[in-house]
Amino acid sequence: MISFLRGTVAHVGLSSAVIDLNGAGMSVNATPQTLSSLRLGQEGKLFTSLIVREDSLTLFGFASDDEREVFDVLLSVSGVGPRLALAVLAVHEPEAIRVAAHSGDGKAFTKVPGIGPKVAGRIVLELAGKLVPHGTAGGTAPAVSAEATWKPQVVAAMTSLGWSEKDATSSIDKSLADSPELAENGNVAEILRATLRWLGQDGARAGNRVGARG
């Protein structure tokens, strides 16, 4: 794996740069912010992530190791490729991404071109626990704010599936009435599954009531 490049900046374009490594030019894709820090003819250093495809090898460059780490974690989200992950970093600083993912702020991700509510909901759902703001003790949120951490993520996931925010919030509260331990654990995936399961059962009960009246 190529962890970083250090060499003379031979070219700076709109979306990529070329670093001269002792006569070998390495093309690196980067955000506008990172590219603006490079100067032609001067030494430049970029932390890198190599994306391997069947027909290509593509380098993505970052101004800091933290940016690269966030980029790599974003790639773990289904449907998020390197170009979209780079677009997120072009709009938000790494720490802002960590805070948005940790707090379930899907709206922050919709500010990125190419990301709508559905994809944003999937991002906050799949990044739960993977990106934590720096300085958060033990990598977890304080117990007092546990619900404030998981609930927005579950609501965002449900709205991405078609429910209104009001209905999603109401359904979560009702589904957890019989399973308070889920709320205490704060596992987003488990709470989402429990809520969807409750909605299915509730729909079946409603259907039975209609059938009985008929």
Side-chain angles (χ1 to χ4, degrees):
M1 177 180 178
I2 302 175
S3 296
F4 69 87
L5 298 177
R6 178 187 284 129
T8 303
V9 179
H11 170 76
V12 179
L14 294 177
S15 59
S16 65
V18 175
I19 306 297
D20 184 344
L21 303 178
N22 297 320
M26 301 290 286
S27 179
V28 188
N29 294 280
T31 65
Q33 297 95 313
T34 297
L35 293 171
S36 67
S37 69
L38 301 176
R39 297 291 181 268
L40 282 174
Q42 297 183 15
E43 183 180 84
K45 178 181 177 180
L46 294 176
F47 294 88
T48 57
S49 180
L50 177 63
I51 305 299
V52 180
R53 297 285 187 263
E54 291 183 1
D55 58 348
S56 66
L57 297 174
T58 308
L59 271 176
F60 290 84
F62 311 93
S64 68
D65 193 43
D66 191 33
E67 284 189 3
R68 179 178 60 184
E69 180 184 348
V70 171
F71 174 83
D72 288 339
V73 175
L74 283 169
L75 293 181
S76 69
V77 178
S78 57
V80 175
R83 302 289 179 183
L84 194 56
L86 196 67
V88 174
L89 282 164
V91 174
H92 297 296
E93 293 291 330
E95 187 66 6
I97 298 172
R98 291 177 182 278
V99 171
H102 190 63
S103 64
D105 183 9
K107 291 182 179 179
F109 292 102
T110 62
K111 296 178 181 179
V112 179
I115 295 182
K118 185 174 182 179
V119 174
R122 186 163 64 244
I123 289 175
V124 297
L125 176 63
E126 295 189 24
L127 290 187
K130 293 183 179 180
L131 286 179
V132 179
H134 290 140
T136 302
T140 57
V144 67
S145 61
E147 181 173 333
T149 298
W150 63 255
K151 196 166 189 176
Q153 297 180 52
V154 181
V155 171
M158 292 188 66
T159 55
S160 73
L161 293 173
W163 277 276
S164 68
E165 185 172 334
K166 179 180 179 181
D167 288 342
T169 301
S170 175
S171 298
I172 293 169
D173 292 339
K174 291 177 181 177
S175 68
L176 294 183
D178 298 327
S179 305
E181 69 280 0
L182 289 180
E184 294 175 4
N185 293 335
N187 187 300
V188 175
E190 290 183 2
I191 294 172
L192 177 60
R193 284 194 293 269
T195 303
L196 295 176
R197 188 163 54 246
W198 181 87
L199 282 167
Q201 293 172 350
D202 186 64
R205 289 195 296 268
N208 290 337
R209 288 196 296 271
V210 172
R213 287 198 301 270

